[in-house]
Amino acid sequence: MTDDTEEQLAAFLDGAMDDESAAAFEVRLSADPELAARAELWLANDRRIAAAFAPLAEYPISPELLARMGLMQEDAAEVRAPVAANDNPPWWRRYALPLGGAVAASLVAVLSLPRGGGEPQRDLSFALETGRSLEAVRLADGSTVTPTLTVKAADGRWCREYRQQAAVGLACRDGGNWKVEGTGAGAGPADGSEIGVASGADSASLAGAFARIGASDPLGIKEEGDLIARGWQER
Amino acid sequence: MPDGSAKARALQQAIIAALPKLRRFCHAMAASPADGDDLMQATVEKALVHGDQFREGSRADSWMYRIAQNLHIDKVRSTRRRGTVVPVEDAFDLVGDDGRATTESRSDLAAAQRALETVPDDQRAAFVLVVVEGLSYKEAAETLGVPIGTIMSRIARARGRIEQALKGDAGTIQ
């Protein structure tokens, strides 16, 4: 891979390409699995780092620290991040524009998520209902589903991203059933079993679905575990 | 000037409003949380002294990111001569609502900070501004005073290094 490709990939991921270049790069991505895998990996790394630092802008700044910096306010109140100071787009929205379009659409056509048989869908629901993120759940047909993260939709439903074979999906819990909101092809080898990446690595192709449901930031593992233990009921 | 103190107050308010994001940027640039807060304080001091350089109507956060980046580069140069190392694991003395949640996010943060440490400062600044702070390439270019193409290549190289750093460090959850 040449340096130029990496720069183009960076610009593509950050939405810094003009429409024409982005369209050309999407064609390239869909024809080059290795490049697509790299795109997914870079996105996952970005997301991981951004998520790790995100809370730092939420911590209040104490009156003592303000005073030390010569910024004492008259009312001496703590400075909390105002809403406007935390106006970065949520993690999924940053990626919705560049990757939510043609690539995702073309990948959906080849997804291998079982549908219509009744049984597999119920098993998928079972995996999403009971499995913790990043732990594979074996289905009746011998295949596995690995939930990768949990978010809350704007309408209050709990939703999970998951990996199933070479596909990734986003499903939301609706009255005890899990309804698939979107699917896409994952990165990496076709059987998916060798992928050892950080959580939610493949969500780029699901960006459109994440945007549509209005996803919150992902839950922490502890919070998610408690939620599963409570049968997805709010505390 | 009759409106001098009103102007100073407006500057203070702009600085205070930008502080939470400035602190995050400083922590991402520095080697430890303590260094991050030191950098933030030094940035604020400089911003207050050079308040006349701030153009009203422009973004205070970008202006302060730039001050912080310049201070950081200066500090790195002088520290290289003296050599001090503070381990990342030295906890954030920031208190969360829940002790366990704080510990978990702290280890995520430590891993992220270790990965960023492998990235040279100019590349790290470009990466943090765009990926963590959410600036566009154009805004990041204006903030750091370099062409957009430079931002693009720095971010590409930063991502390559981060890819290597996070390889084999497969997840935050064990």
Side-chain angles (χ1 to χ4, degrees):
Chain A
M1 200 182 286
T2 65
D3 283 346
D4 182 48
T5 299
E6 294 188 340
E7 292 184 2
Q8 285 191 43
L9 177 56
F12 178 76
L13 293 180
D14 294 320
M17 272 183 173
D18 60 51
D19 291 349
E20 200 180 325
S21 309
F25 198 79
E26 283 182 0
V27 170
R28 236 183 113 178
L29 266 184
S30 57
D32 184 346
E34 201 178 319
L35 186 59
R38 193 120 194 256
E40 298 283 1
L41 182 59
W42 279 14
L43 275 184
N45 290 343
D46 281 6
R47 202 167 87 187
R48 187 172 162 194
I49 289 174
F53 280 101
L56 277 180
E58 313 290 335
Y59 287 109
I61 293 176
S62 68
E64 293 77 21
L65 184 53
L66 283 177
R68 259 205 310 276
M69 294 188 292
L71 289 171
M72 203 56 204
Q73 287 181 301
E74 278 151 20
D75 56 4
E78 285 188 336
V79 173
R80 286 189 174 270
V83 175
N86 188 28
D87 58 0
N88 294 339
W91 54 269
W92 48 265
R93 192 178 295 150
R94 286 193 55 234
Y95 307 126
L97 285 177
L99 283 167
V103 172
S106 64
L107 293 177
V108 167
V110 297
L111 78 110
S112 62
L113 193 73
R115 269 180 195 282
E119 285 301 306
Q121 184 67 13
R122 199 180 72 209
D123 282 356
L124 174 60
S125 279
F126 172 77
L128 296 175
E129 184 81 7
T130 61
R132 293 163 65 98
S133 286
L134 299 186
E135 291 177 10
V137 178
R138 190 161 292 280
L139 304 188
D141 64 5
S143 66
T144 59
V145 168
T146 308
T148 44
L149 58 80
T150 302
V151 297
K152 190 170 203 176
D155 61 12
R157 289 179 301 162
W158 293 107
C159 304
R160 305 195 78 184
E161 183 190 275
Y162 60 92
R163 184 198 308 281
Q164 186 173 36
Q165 311 294 78
V168 292
L170 177 70
C172 294
R173 191 174 191 277
D174 212 342
N177 290 311
W178 290 85
K179 179 170 163 262
V180 176
E181 295 283 338
T183 50
D191 71 355
S193 60
E194 297 161 28
I195 307 174
V197 293
S199 62
D202 299 319
S203 62
S205 52
L206 293 174
F210 274 111
R212 198 175 56 249
I213 66 167
S216 68
D217 284 348
L219 291 190
I221 195 72
K222 169 76 167 60
E223 218 178 334
E224 181 196 275
D226 290 348
L227 191 59
I228 293 172
R230 290 198 304 272
W232 299 91
Q233 300 307 306
E234 304 277 353
R235 207 187 297 268
Chain B
M1 237 193 290
D3 65 342
S5 81
K7 220 171 167 181
R9 277 183 62 83
L11 176 69
Q12 280 212 2
Q13 291 307 316
I15 290 175
I16 289 173
L19 272 185
K21 284 161 78 174
L22 176 69
R23 169 143 78 177
R24 179 171 58 190
F25 176 74
C26 289
H27 278 246
M29 293 307 296
S32 75
D35 285 353
D37 269 1
D38 284 353
L39 179 57
M40 174 178 70
Q41 290 190 47
T43 302
V44 169
E45 276 168 29
K46 195 154 188 181
L48 287 172
V49 171
H50 297 285
D52 53 318
Q53 292 173 2
F54 175 62
R55 283 176 294 123
E56 266 182 271
S58 67
R59 289 181 56 167
D61 52 357
S62 295
W63 176 58
M64 295 211 294
Y65 289 147
R66 181 171 192 162
I67 295 173
Q69 163 68 357
N70 289 337
L71 285 171
H72 175 67
I73 297 277
D74 290 349
K75 170 135 194 280
V76 167
R77 285 191 189 121
S78 68
T79 307
R80 251 181 221 138
R81 290 193 288 271
R82 284 180 288 115
T84 52
V85 177
V86 184
V88 172
E89 308 290 350
D90 275 6
F92 276 68
D93 47 4
L94 303 161
V95 182
D97 297 326
D98 169 321
R100 277 168 306 194
T102 307
T103 308
E104 280 167 17
S105 63
R106 188 181 294 163
S107 70
D108 287 352
L109 195 54
Q113 213 142 18
R114 275 196 303 273
L116 284 182
E117 270 176 47
T118 67
V119 181
D121 289 295
D122 53 355
Q123 295 172 23
R124 194 191 315 168
F127 177 85
V128 171
L129 285 177
V130 170
V131 173
V132 178
E133 300 300 332
L135 268 58
S136 68
Y137 279 17
K138 184 164 175 286
E139 291 166 331
E142 284 164 4
T143 298
L144 298 178
V146 298
I148 289 178
T150 304
I151 294 292
M152 183 166 72
S153 65
R154 284 181 184 176
I155 288 180
R157 278 180 284 158
R159 285 194 170 117
R161 285 181 191 263
I162 288 166
E163 179 183 340
Q164 295 304 315
L166 291 179
K167 207 174 260 179
D169 181 1
T172 55
I173 302 144
Q174 289 300 324

